[in-house]
Amino acid sequence: MVHQHVDLHPGPERQRQETDATAHINGEPVVWDTATGRLSFEALQRRAAARGRTATALAAKTPAFLIAFDALQIDGTELPALPYAERRRRLEVLFAARALNAPWTLCPMTTDPAKARAWLEDWTDVSGVEGILVKNMNQRYRPGVRDRAWTKIRRRNTTEAIIGH
């Protein structure tokens, strides 16, 4: 990801300040198109394919942001076996301790169903946001496994079809 998203990789001056800090974060890079006021999957794809000077130019034109969902390792400590509630707590501590801000963004989280419903209604009006993800607070991280412990709730269900006559 570093080659495509040079703006998400800390520069040499930041590396010198945090030489002993490492983290493996589960997140999603996104590109916000200021001209259209929406997330741009197309711009993200262009960024993913870019290298060298092209990657640098695209980073300036269409900056990427990383929406952090989960922490898998912090400062050498492996976290997947911990419940999501503890991994999330450690992720929040990491963001606060390192004063992380744009382009790194901590995905909001709630255990309040009413707030989650409001987010589903309000935030999914932004083009490119599909819905919300519900995670079991006691679930350990299981790479590649899809089950009821993590459920995506979409505001709109869509289907693509080819219709001919």
Side-chain angles (χ1 to χ4, degrees):
M1 186 169 86
V2 171
H3 300 291
Q4 303 89 343
H5 302 293
V6 293
D7 45 338
L8 296 178
H9 188 268
E13 62 285 344
R14 185 157 187 154
Q15 288 175 348
R16 280 194 296 273
Q17 294 171 2
E18 300 176 6
T19 54
D20 61 342
T22 61
H24 295 186
I25 303 298
N26 184 1
E28 184 169 354
V30 297
V31 172
W32 183 260
D33 184 336
T34 55
T36 63
R38 61 185 283 276
L39 294 175
S40 175
F41 184 70
E42 297 80 18
L44 184 63
Q45 286 181 309
R46 284 192 299 277
R47 295 279 313 268
R51 300 284 187 271
R53 283 188 229 156
T54 303
T56 303
L58 285 173
K61 181 179 177 185
T62 55
F65 298 85
L66 181 71
I67 311 295
F69 304 123
D70 208 337
L72 305 179
Q73 182 194 74
I74 297 177
D75 294 335
T77 301
E78 297 291 329
L79 305 177
L82 298 176
Y84 174 69
E86 178 61 17
R87 295 192 316 274
R88 175 64 189 211
R89 185 192 71 74
R90 291 184 188 205
L91 182 61
E92 290 172 359
V93 167
L94 174 74
F95 265 73
R98 304 284 193 269
L100 294 176
N101 52 34
W104 300 282
T105 304
L106 182 60
C107 184
M109 192 275 295
T110 185
T111 57
D112 178 1
K115 186 181 261 189
R117 275 191 296 279
W119 288 349
L120 185 61
E121 292 301 316
D122 297 341
W123 291 0
T124 55
D125 279 341
V126 176
S127 184
V129 176
E130 297 175 350
I132 61 174
L133 184 64
V134 177
K135 291 186 176 186
N136 180 325
M137 296 298 285
N138 296 315
Q139 183 66 36
R140 65 183 183 89
Y141 186 85
R142 300 183 324 166
V145 175
R146 292 197 178 240
D147 60 20
R148 292 177 188 240
W150 293 13
T151 305
K152 183 183 269 188
I153 300 174
R154 298 176 190 270
R155 180 166 181 195
R156 294 172 202 83
N157 287 322
T158 60
T159 302
E160 293 184 25
I162 299 173
I163 300 173
H165 61 279

